[in-house]
Amino acid sequence: MNAYATNARRLTIWFTLISTFVVFALLPFSKVAFAYNDLEGLGYLFAICFGFSVYCWKRKMFRLAPSLEAVALGVFTTVPVLISTYLAASLDMPLMDAPLMRADAALGLHWVAFIQFVDAHPAFAEILARAYSSFAIQLLVLPLILGATGRYARSYVMILSFGVLSYISSIVSIWFPALGTYSVYGMTQEQLHNINAHYGFAFLHDFTAVREQAEFILSAANASGIVTFPSLHAAGALLCAWAAWDLNPVRYPFIAWNVLMGISAVSHANHYLVDVIAGAAIASVSIYLVSEVLGRMQQAQWSVLPPSAIWTFVAREKRSESESPTLS
């Protein structure tokens, strides 16, 4: 890897470690308790990706090692990101559905009419449902493709930008909690023929509980996406489209698919149109910030300290202490 990719890798690792520490340090000061025993599924996935990445690094399989490591970091990041969204909601700020509805009206969207249109076209509704469900798959597959094609820096920038946009979204959501479109407009699943509105309602139990209960136990196995504004799906759609831009054969199919994913956040989840716009804007800012920081570091010929340097320093200090003479 070149210097730019090396810095991208090290910065992603540092950001993952520090942000995770901060989120878990905040837990004792909140009413959210995390059920660590429910991490089994994600733990296995992380262990597999990380274990194979270590093996590939040792065997000098440099096409595969960075991409597997980037995927492992992405999987690892999802846990503190998830916790951060619940910490934000637990602050129980006033609901903002009314301002978000007014914003949609100003943008010219008639949500009920849009849902009726999508529901009247079965094929379109099915495509949007598949697009909405592809977010996690793309976050796993794209870094692998980027790494396999030698675009190591882009795979790390993608994961780092995902972490940045997720935490920014969590912070913004503190002041914009919302029940979402399906609840506010009174649209039920029984009124729909082709749209599966599961994600428009599934989050409500946790969203209400974490706001109202004196203590809330968060289970990663049963958690939901409880952020309405901004839309993390829309942010993820723009991020995935950006990541795929360098892949010439599939550039435009990925862009088209992620445009559909952005649309599906309105039709198949609980999002207002303004949520989607805000999510895309936050993703754009996050990608720009990460790219700008790495670009300036390259210009200045700065190198990010490798995380292993910390362990080396600690080991050296311990060795120095053990070798120093004891004063009697």
Side-chain angles (χ1 to χ4, degrees):
M1 291 193 296
N2 58 25
Y4 185 91
T6 300
N7 274 342
R9 175 180 181 246
R10 292 175 179 177
L11 197 60
T12 303
I13 294 172
W14 276 118
F15 179 85
T16 303
L17 294 174
I18 294 171
S19 61
T20 300
F21 174 80
V22 170
V23 169
F24 278 92
L26 289 173
L27 271 177
F29 302 97
S30 74
K31 60 180 179 179
V32 178
F34 186 65
Y36 293 91
N37 57 321
D38 289 341
L39 282 174
E40 185 174 324
L42 281 173
Y44 284 142
L45 181 57
F46 170 75
I48 291 170
C49 294
F50 183 73
F52 273 109
S53 73
V54 171
Y55 173 80
C56 291
W57 281 118
K58 290 185 176 181
R59 296 301 297 259
K60 302 186 186 304
M61 300 167 66
F62 296 130
R63 289 270 176 166
L64 195 55
S67 52
L68 283 170
E69 185 178 68
V71 171
L73 289 168
V75 172
F76 189 90
T77 300
T78 59
V79 175
V81 163
L82 174 69
I83 295 172
S84 72
T85 63
Y86 278 75
L87 289 175
S90 71
L91 297 176
D92 196 19
M93 298 294 279
L95 294 173
M96 296 297 288
D97 288 279
L100 296 174
M101 290 173 69
R102 288 196 296 269
D104 268 15
L107 291 168
L109 177 71
H110 299 280
W111 185 82
V112 174
F114 172 72
I115 294 300
Q116 290 173 341
F117 171 80
V118 174
D119 195 50
H121 297 80
F124 188 38
E126 178 63 22
I127 290 171
L128 289 176
R130 292 183 181 275
Y132 187 83
S133 300
S134 71
F135 185 18
I137 297 171
Q138 289 191 74
L139 282 177
L140 292 173
V141 171
L142 272 170
L144 291 174
I145 297 175
L146 291 169
T149 54
R151 295 167 172 83
Y152 313 119
R154 205 170 186 85
S155 64
Y156 286 113
V157 171
M158 178 186 177
I159 298 303
L160 179 54
S161 298
F162 169 68
V164 172
L165 70 86
S166 296
Y167 288 121
I168 292 175
S169 298
S170 292
I171 293 169
V172 171
S173 73
I174 292 173
W175 295 277
F176 291 91
L179 294 171
T181 48
Y182 277 94
S183 295
V184 171
Y185 285 102
M187 182 75 70
T188 64
Q189 183 63 68
E190 288 71 26
Q191 296 173 266
L192 303 169
H193 302 288
N194 297 300
I195 293 177
N196 182 350
H198 169 78
Y199 295 108
F201 302 102
F203 78 103
L204 288 172
H205 175 271
D206 276 11
F207 178 74
T208 304
V210 75
R211 285 166 57 85
E212 296 179 353
Q213 292 178 5
E215 182 178 358
F216 178 84
I217 299 176
L218 170 57
S219 166
N222 301 310
S224 300
I226 62 174
V227 173
T228 298
F229 180 96
S231 168
L232 281 171
H233 260 75
L238 191 140
L239 176 64
C240 292
W242 171 85
W245 182 254
D246 261 8
L247 303 171
N248 289 328
V250 295
R251 172 188 294 175
Y252 293 109
F254 260 102
I255 290 173
W257 186 253
N258 282 290
V259 167
L260 291 171
M261 187 162 80
I263 296 171
S264 72
V266 178
S267 62
H268 284 69
N270 58 312
H271 291 292
Y272 300 93
L273 177 59
V274 69
D275 302 342
V276 173
I277 295 171
I282 288 174
S284 300
V285 170
S286 300
I287 294 168
Y288 171 79
L289 288 175
V290 170
S291 301
E292 185 71 9
V293 167
L294 288 169
R296 288 182 179 272
M297 292 180 69
Q298 186 179 34
Q299 289 178 357
Q301 297 184 340
W302 291 348
S303 295
V304 178
L305 187 71
S308 58
I310 299 298
W311 314 123
T312 303
F313 173 79
V314 171
R316 187 185 300 120
E317 289 297 307
K318 286 185 176 180
R319 188 165 55 250
S320 298
E321 290 177 4
S322 63
E323 292 175 353
S324 61
T326 304
L327 296 176
S328 55

